Amino acid sequence: MFDGYDSCSEDTSSSSSSEESEEEVAPLPSNLPIIKNNGQVYTYPDGKSGMATCEMCGMVGVRDAFYSKTKRFCSVSCSRSYSSNSKKASILARLQVTGKPPTKKAKVLQKQPLVAKLAAYAQYQATLQNQAKTKSVAVSMEGFSWGNYINSNSFIAAPVTCFKHAPMGTCWGDISENVRVEVPNTDCSLPTKVFWIAGIVKLAGYNALLRYEGFENDSGLDFWCNICGSDIHPVGWCAASGKPLVPPRTIQHKYTNWKAFLVKRLTGAKTLPPDFSQKVSESMQYPFKPCMRVEVVDKRHLCRTRVAVVESVIGGRLRLVYEESEDRTDDFWCHMHSPLIHHIGWSRSIGHRFKRSDITKKQDGHFDTPPHLFAKVKEVDQSGEWFKEGMKLEAIDPLNLSTICVATIRKVLADGFLMIGIDGSEAADGSDWFCYHATSPSIFPVGFCEINMIELTPPRGYTKLPFKWFDYLRETGSIAAPVKLFNKDVPNHGFRVGMKLEAVDLMEPRLICVATVTRIIHRLLRIHFDGWEEEYDQWVDCESPDLYPVGWCQLTGYQLQPPASQSSRESQSGSSKQKKKAKSQQYKGHKKMTTLQLKEELMDGEDYNFLQGASDQESNGSANFYIKQEP
């Protein structure tokens, strides 16, 4: 077995005298061919004298690749080490003849060849038992296996390229089906880790269904693994690292010349980039560190922010502990690119409400996060026509993310930020106002829901149903926010209806759950949590940092919440869920008026150009939308 030396240039001059006096080691029962990185192939189809065990280190390998005339050592270094130890044992034996008791070390040295044999055989037997128990590698999290879930239901997963904020999201390249990789060979009787080449049969986020080369159309030993895992390598890695390529035991009889087989199969095939593992490592380095101070939304009063300290960072997600929390249990989870966190001093700079801390000075070790680490928002020009207080619009309710509601701009802040309230459910003191930027994908012009066939939630207590915007604007003496002020950019995000992913439950943001894309409206995604009722669905932007590829939790070590069973749904009693359910039971309005009616009834008779877009199922998720025609 190759260990960095070339067996063709064997040098045993320093150990030949001691090696010839020992009897030959009986081979273990195996006839696996081993492909070394020098291209030599050793095959023993008759099963005779194929394997040997190194008497020094216990390594099991091909006999012809071993050293010395009796093939007792796997490398020159083991041969020399054994010779040195034998000399020490002889000295200790002579000391015993002189009347001195043998030391423990002498006894061990005298018995080392037998110990090596027994240890190798015991490890060999343990490996066989382990192989019998585990025939494939499954990516699982506490009993849930993405691979089994996808295979059994023929699901598809959103590609990694849909998630620019996730590891490898911007440098995934052309990794696709039929790409070849070198992976551990689990169908092998050797006690040491060996590798073989496998091809990608199916991709699901970071996870890939692999099939060993040589199995052709036989899926019996297909297995799932995370492509970004430490045991996945590009073709050629074994040769560069001195690792043996060993064909799986199940198919070792199919070919007598495995080298020729691999050359034929791999000619013209694609593999991972040579620096793939380095890119994975670099993409999982995060600038946020524990003890950094930030301003973050107050989860009990959305209208204001508070100071919090980064407690931990997992995959770019931050566990923030509010600075005044003495027992450090009052926390908030969000991604480092979340629009809910800002640098210290942000609230004062734009005129946002801020809860001053009772702590007069920073605690030891805490320091302000550099402003450049936070997500940047688009610059806007507020000098011309701009949003004004009292203007009406449609907005995703941050306390019930399954609904888009009638809303009002309550305050215009600096740098393009707006304080918005949900009509009919606002507190008298404005404590439930929330902050969105003018370019936020969570706010929409009047009529957005109607045109895109989304239920619009009318103000609570509003009795003139079905809800009509024209009547409501006239009754309240309000005007609609100009359409041209809203963000109409729609990136080519790549999501499709039915795709699987891992998504944050924004009502309980410490949880990441198995989820499905069920609707696509431009850049807006309807996210359904598998196993839960539709009332827990959430509207999320396609570029939200709270969406992740399949396999993200396994890659980063974050706990994934599997699809809910009926019993767990019934026993779920979290306050956020109860609040959400109560809120979702309010009347959401009848069927909307037609596009023509809406166009005729909009305030001021403005002329709109309705663009007929693609359906929910198409690639960019476009649907009917409108823009105000410029004069």
Side-chain angles (χ1 to χ4, degrees):
M1 184 168 292
F2 189 78
D3 71 336
Y5 294 91
D6 188 346
S7 61
C8 296
S9 59
E10 178 182 29
D11 179 11
T12 61
S13 59
S14 64
S15 58
S16 59
S17 61
S18 62
E19 296 158 3
E20 298 304 322
S21 60
E22 300 292 338
E23 61 184 22
E24 201 168 343
V25 179
L28 292 175
S30 177
N31 63 340
L32 291 179
I34 296 182
I35 300 178
K36 294 168 58 177
N37 73 335
N38 58 10
Q40 300 180 28
V41 184
Y42 302 95
T43 308
Y44 299 86
D46 58 357
K48 296 180 180 180
S49 303
M51 307 299 291
T53 303
C54 177
E55 294 186 16
M56 183 62 201
C57 67
M59 177 74 72
V60 178
V62 174
R63 178 177 300 280
D64 286 354
F66 271 43
Y67 292 79
S68 82
K69 294 179 181 179
T70 54
K71 306 300 182 185
R72 296 164 51 205
F73 306 102
C74 67
S75 66
V76 172
S77 60
C78 280
S79 176
R80 290 173 178 170
S81 297
Y82 183 87
S83 177
S84 175
N85 288 342
S86 296
K87 292 178 182 179
K88 294 178 182 179
S90 298
I91 295 174
L92 291 170
R94 286 197 296 271
L95 290 175
Q96 181 179 359
V97 172
T98 61
K100 296 182 180 180
T103 63
K104 183 177 181 180
K105 184 175 183 180
K107 295 179 180 179
V108 172
L109 289 172
Q110 289 172 344
K111 297 181 179 180
Q112 180 139 5
L114 178 59
V115 171
K117 296 176 188 178
L118 294 175
Y121 188 72
Q123 188 175 9
Y124 167 77
Q125 291 294 336
T127 302
L128 288 180
Q129 294 176 4
N130 185 54
Q131 294 295 335
K133 294 178 181 178
T134 308
K135 294 185 177 180
S136 64
V137 179
V139 179
S140 61
M141 183 66 67
E142 291 197 358
F144 173 76
S145 168
W146 263 120
N148 293 338
Y149 191 57
I150 289 175
N151 276 349
S152 60
N153 298 280
S154 299
F155 291 140
I156 58 172
V160 174
T161 52
C162 291
F163 309 87
K164 306 303 182 186
H165 57 282
M168 301 299 292
T170 58
C171 53
W172 189 247
D174 58 351
I175 299 175
S176 58
E177 295 178 4
N178 297 319
V179 166
R180 305 304 205 283
V181 293
E182 293 179 351
V183 296
N185 178 4
T186 60
D187 182 31
C188 178
S189 57
L190 295 175
T192 56
K193 179 184 284 189
V194 294
F195 294 79
W196 190 240
I197 295 171
I200 297 178
V201 177
K202 184 175 183 178
L203 267 179
Y206 293 118
N207 295 345
L209 181 63
L210 300 180
R211 180 174 300 167
Y212 289 122
E213 284 296 333
F215 276 83
E216 307 303 336
N217 296 323
D218 183 1
S219 61
L221 284 184
D222 288 2
F223 60 98
W224 286 90
C225 70
N226 196 303
I227 285 293
C228 296
S230 59
D231 273 339
I232 312 300
H233 308 282
V235 172
W237 177 85
C238 284
S241 306
K243 303 293 184 182
L245 284 171
V246 179
R249 179 175 50 185
T250 304
I251 59 169
Q252 60 179 290
H253 63 280
K254 292 183 64 175
Y255 302 95
T256 57
N257 190 338
W258 283 99
K259 178 183 177 181
F261 168 79
L262 288 182
V263 170
K264 181 178 180 181
R265 292 287 295 175
L266 299 180
T267 300
K270 293 182 179 180
T271 187
L272 300 178
D275 59 347
F276 184 75
S277 60
Q278 179 182 350
K279 287 183 177 180
V280 171
S281 178
E282 291 174 353
S283 67
M284 295 182 68
Q285 301 299 314
Y286 307 104
F288 281 79
K289 307 298 180 185
C291 297
M292 283 184 171
R293 301 172 76 240
V294 301
E295 288 186 9
V296 63
V297 64
D298 186 340
K299 63 183 181 181
R300 294 182 179 83
H301 300 279
L302 299 183
C303 66
R304 68 186 185 188
T305 58
R306 296 171 62 182
V307 172
V309 178
V310 177
E311 179 75 11
S312 60
V313 183
I314 303 178
R317 288 187 59 76
L318 312 178
R319 179 178 180 258
L320 304 173
V321 176
Y322 290 114
E323 198 169 47
E324 293 176 314
S325 176
E326 296 182 359
D327 59 359
R328 311 195 67 76
T329 59
D330 190 8
D331 61 358
F332 183 82
W333 281 90
C334 67
H335 193 271
M336 63 182 184
H337 293 155
S338 170
L340 301 178
I341 60 171
H342 310 276
H343 62 85
I344 298 296
W346 173 83
S347 298
R348 176 181 294 181
S349 68
I350 69 162
H352 194 284
R353 290 188 190 179
F354 176 75
K355 181 185 179 183
R356 296 187 179 277
S357 174
D358 294 335
I359 301 175
T360 56
K361 62 179 180 179
K362 288 184 288 187
Q363 299 181 16
D364 293 339
H366 295 177
F367 58 100
D368 295 351
T369 305
H372 72 272
L373 298 184
F374 295 87
K376 302 295 187 296
V377 295
K378 294 181 181 179
E379 294 184 3
V380 294
D381 181 13
Q382 298 183 220
S383 60
E385 185 177 11
W386 192 241
F387 292 100
K388 294 181 174 60
E389 291 183 17
M391 282 183 172
K392 299 294 183 181
L393 69 163
E394 299 174 3
I396 296 176
D397 184 353
L399 294 179
N400 187 1
L401 294 164
S402 67
T403 62
I404 299 178
C405 306
V406 174
T408 304
I409 297 174
R410 293 305 180 186
K411 188 176 182 181
V412 179
L413 309 179
D415 295 342
F417 288 95
L418 309 170
M419 295 303 296
I420 297 173
I422 300 298
D423 285 22
S425 59
E426 297 177 67
D429 59 356
S431 59
D432 56 356
W433 296 353
F434 48 93
C435 184
Y436 280 147
H437 192 263
T439 61
S440 170
S442 297
I443 58 174
F444 316 96
V446 164
F448 173 85
C449 285
E450 163 63 23
I451 293 172
N452 292 287
M453 295 180 289
I454 302 173
E455 278 192 316
L456 176 67
T457 302
R460 182 178 298 175
Y462 189 73
T463 57
K464 290 187 177 181
L465 303 174
F467 177 85
K468 293 185 178 181
W469 262 117
F470 180 79
D471 292 341
Y472 185 69
L473 292 173
R474 183 179 56 193
E475 292 167 4
T476 57
S478 307
I479 61 173
V483 177
K484 67 179 183 179
L485 300 181
F486 292 85
N487 179 15
K488 292 181 285 292
D489 294 338
V490 181
N492 185 18
H493 47 69
F495 286 102
R496 306 285 193 280
V497 170
M499 283 182 170
K500 296 293 179 181
L501 69 162
E502 298 176 4
V504 176
D505 180 356
L506 293 171
M507 302 307 296
E508 190 66 46
R510 64 184 176 84
L511 302 179
I512 297 182
C513 311
V514 173
T516 306
V517 178
T518 56
R519 283 200 72 184
I520 302 175
I521 308 295
H522 306 298
R523 60 183 303 147
L524 193 63
L525 309 180
R526 180 80 169 181
I527 301 299
H528 173 73
F529 297 106
D530 290 17
W532 291 93
E533 291 82 2
E534 291 185 2
E535 64 184 274
Y536 298 115
D537 289 1
Q538 297 178 358
W539 288 108
V540 182
D541 182 61
C542 65
E543 295 182 343
S544 169
D546 295 307
L547 303 177
Y548 304 99
V550 165
W552 181 89
C553 283
Q554 194 258 347
L555 175 64
T556 61
Y558 204 97
Q559 184 176 357
L560 176 66
Q561 304 299 316
S565 61
Q566 184 175 357
S567 58
S568 63
R569 292 197 301 267
E570 292 173 351
S571 62
Q572 208 283 342
S573 57
S575 59
S576 62
K577 295 292 185 184
Q578 290 177 339
K579 182 175 183 179
K580 182 177 180 181
K581 184 172 183 179
K583 203 169 185 183
S584 66
Q585 289 174 341
Q586 67 190 44
Y587 184 78
K588 295 183 179 180
H590 292 300
K591 295 290 183 181
K592 306 297 182 294
M593 51 186 157
T594 65
T595 299
L596 180 61
Q597 287 176 317
L598 177 65
K599 181 178 178 181
E600 293 174 346
E601 295 181 4
L602 280 172
M603 195 72 172
D604 299 330
E606 293 179 313
D607 188 14
Y608 288 84
N609 175 30
F610 289 84
L611 302 180
Q612 300 299 318
S615 66
D616 288 358
Q617 287 76 15
E618 297 201 15
S619 60
N620 62 1
S622 298
N624 297 337
F625 194 57
Y626 55 86
I627 58 174
K628 181 180 178 182
Q629 291 183 333
E630 300 296 337

